[in-house]
Amino acid sequence: MQDPVVGNARRSRLAEFARHLDPEVRTALHFDDAAIIGADLLISMCRALMDTDSPQPWQDRLEATFEEFDLEEVETGIDYTLARMQDKDLAISWLDSFKGLNYRAFALRLLGAADFRRLVDALKEDGAIVALAVRRGLRASMPFAVAWSDAVSNMTENQRKAVSKTDILGLEVVKMVIMADEAFGKKFVSTLPMQLTAATADDLAGWRPDDMTEIVTNIRQRVVESSAKRLERENSQLVRKIRGAKDALTHSEDGISQAANSLIELIDRIMREAFTKEEVLAWAEANLPDEPLLTHEKDGNVLPTKRAEALCFVYRSGPTARDANEHDNGQGPSLIHDVLARVIVTTRTSLQKFKHDDAGTQEEKDQLFSLLAGLEGALLLGLSISQIGAKRDQLLDELEA
């Protein structure tokens, strides 16, 4: 097996250190070939994903990272890492073997003070890189957490129960992310040499539950911007509908009814321009033949309901089939697709009451802004999921080719 270039700045310091050890010493320290390759691959991937100075998309940066390794090395590294991620007992046992005092004392006797210090420094530097990647990944999920919370807030309690028998929709996702970030910062980020990484002041600044309102306000603006960008890829006129609704709420005397009309037209146009009624009917019949309330009759013709149109949209007319697990029987739409479709339909229904009957009160404006935030959240998540799915299918096609 061909060793990666030792000393490469993008590789693991722990792997570099281990390669200089005698094979018997490496074995005694639990640094087999798979562990070394796994560490190299993990650190290289983290560095590539965090390279914000690169003009390349993150997919291209990852692809370039994999090209630095032999195919056999990539497979070995991924298999080794996944084995520890998927087997909790194995991961805990592996980590405990390094954290225990007995191991540290053994390593100190085996390596001597100087090399033991190099080992500890290498572990800490690699750990800092992984910690930064985890923190950025955790914080990158925050716009989606805010979007999810805003979207779910548009649903009534009965609608939530209709989607899920669990309490998952009632979870305070945003608060959970902030608390997880705070705990991770105290346990890892604050104890590792982050100055050796590309960490910025924002990366190192801790999030606290007490600051949740300010954090959510800032993140929600990113949701609005991301939603607008994704909508603009679909149709720039749709973005103008949202902006027009906000302008109407802010400046017009008849702002509430105007905004409600704009948003209803926005939803209808998104559904209409995405897929024809015939395409929605064909998709529903092929993918969800046993799902109720997807069709209705009008003047002797079978037509799709708004729910069917919304489901087809969030699935991008793709397949709904999936493997069953302990939380999902694999039948019908998935939880997230079902929620997003219901949010879109529920938002439209809620907007109808503002269309002709509004008193122009501040309470109504606040309600409409809340509906708008939920709609933007649902659109962001729905369009993001569809784009991820498209990229995944494209990647699979390229791999097969």
Side-chain angles (χ1 to χ4, degrees), residues 35-86:
I36 292 172
I37 295 172
D40 249 344
L41 187 60
L42 176 62
I43 297 301
S44 296
M45 289 171 60
C46 288
R47 287 186 181 277
L49 289 172
M50 293 187 298
D51 186 4
T52 55
D53 293 331
S54 173
Q56 291 182 307
W58 66 267
Q59 300 96 325
D60 293 345
R61 298 201 300 271
L62 274 187
E63 184 179 350
T65 297
F66 290 144
E67 289 175 353
E68 296 175 6
F69 294 81
D70 290 341
L71 179 59
E72 182 182 353
E73 291 175 336
V74 173
E75 292 175 348
T76 299
I78 291 177
D79 289 345
Y80 183 85
T81 304
L82 289 180
R84 275 141 188 82
M85 291 174 62
Q86 294 172 351

Side-chain angles (χ1 to χ4, degrees), residues 13 47 50 117-132 185 187-200 204:
R13 291 290 174 262
R47 287 186 181 277
M50 293 187 298
R117 172 48 56 190
R118 294 188 186 96
L119 169 63
V120 171
D121 289 345
L123 276 168
K124 286 183 176 181
E125 183 170 349
D126 280 4
I129 292 168
V130 174
L132 178 59
K187 188 171 181 62
F188 296 102
V189 176
S190 64
T191 63
L192 291 167
M194 303 306 294
Q195 72 275 9
L196 300 179
T197 70
T200 65
L204 301 179

Side-chain angles (χ1 to χ4, degrees), residues 130-131 134-135 138 179-189:
V130 174
V134 171
R135 164 156 276 185
L138 188 63
M179 292 177 66
D181 181 87
E182 182 185 37
F184 185 79
K186 290 179 178 178
K187 188 171 181 62
F188 296 102
V189 176

Side-chain angles (χ1 to χ4, degrees), residues 44-234:
S44 296
M45 289 171 60
C46 288
R47 287 186 181 277
L49 289 172
M50 293 187 298
D51 186 4
T52 55
D53 293 331
S54 173
Q56 291 182 307
W58 66 267
Q59 300 96 325
D60 293 345
R61 298 201 300 271
L62 274 187
E63 184 179 350
T65 297
F66 290 144
E67 289 175 353
E68 296 175 6
F69 294 81
D70 290 341
L71 179 59
E72 182 182 353
E73 291 175 336
V74 173
E75 292 175 348
T76 299
I78 291 177
D79 289 345
Y80 183 85
T81 304
L82 289 180
R84 275 141 188 82
M85 291 174 62
Q86 294 172 351
D87 190 330
K88 183 177 70 175
D89 294 335
L90 178 62
I92 292 174
S93 174
W94 185 76
L95 288 171
D96 285 345
S97 69
F98 287 97
K99 291 166 58 180
L101 294 176
N102 290 338
Y103 179 87
R104 293 173 66 88
F106 170 73
L108 178 58
R109 289 197 305 271
L110 184 65
L111 295 173
D115 276 347
F116 178 73
R117 172 48 56 190
R118 294 188 186 96
L119 169 63
V120 171
D121 289 345
L123 276 168
K124 286 183 176 181
E125 183 170 349
D126 280 4
I129 292 168
V130 174
L132 178 59
V134 171
R135 164 156 276 185
R136 286 187 179 179
L138 188 63
R139 292 186 173 186
S141 71
M142 192 60 166
F144 298 97
V146 172
W148 176 260
S149 295
D150 285 344
V152 170
S153 70
N154 281 15
M155 301 174 69
T156 66
E157 190 64 32
N158 288 335
Q159 289 167 336
R160 296 186 192 190
K161 291 178 180 178
V163 174
S164 174
K165 294 183 175 61
T166 67
D167 294 328
I168 187 170
L169 298 187
L171 294 176
E172 297 184 51
V173 182
V174 172
K175 187 175 181 179
M176 290 170 62
V177 173
I178 293 175
M179 292 177 66
D181 181 87
E182 182 185 37
F184 185 79
K186 290 179 178 178
K187 188 171 181 62
F188 296 102
V189 176
S190 64
T191 63
L192 291 167
M194 303 306 294
Q195 72 275 9
L196 300 179
T197 70
T200 65
D202 287 339
D203 292 321
L204 301 179
W207 281 359
R208 300 181 306 155
D210 291 345
D211 301 327
M212 185 166 69
T213 300
E214 181 182 353
I215 294 170
V216 169
T217 299
N218 293 333
I219 295 294
R220 185 171 283 123
Q221 183 57 39
R222 289 169 55 188
V223 172
V224 171
E225 293 169 358
S226 296
S227 181
K229 287 179 181 178
R230 284 169 168 78
L231 271 178
E232 197 148 21
R233 294 184 196 129
E234 300 283 321

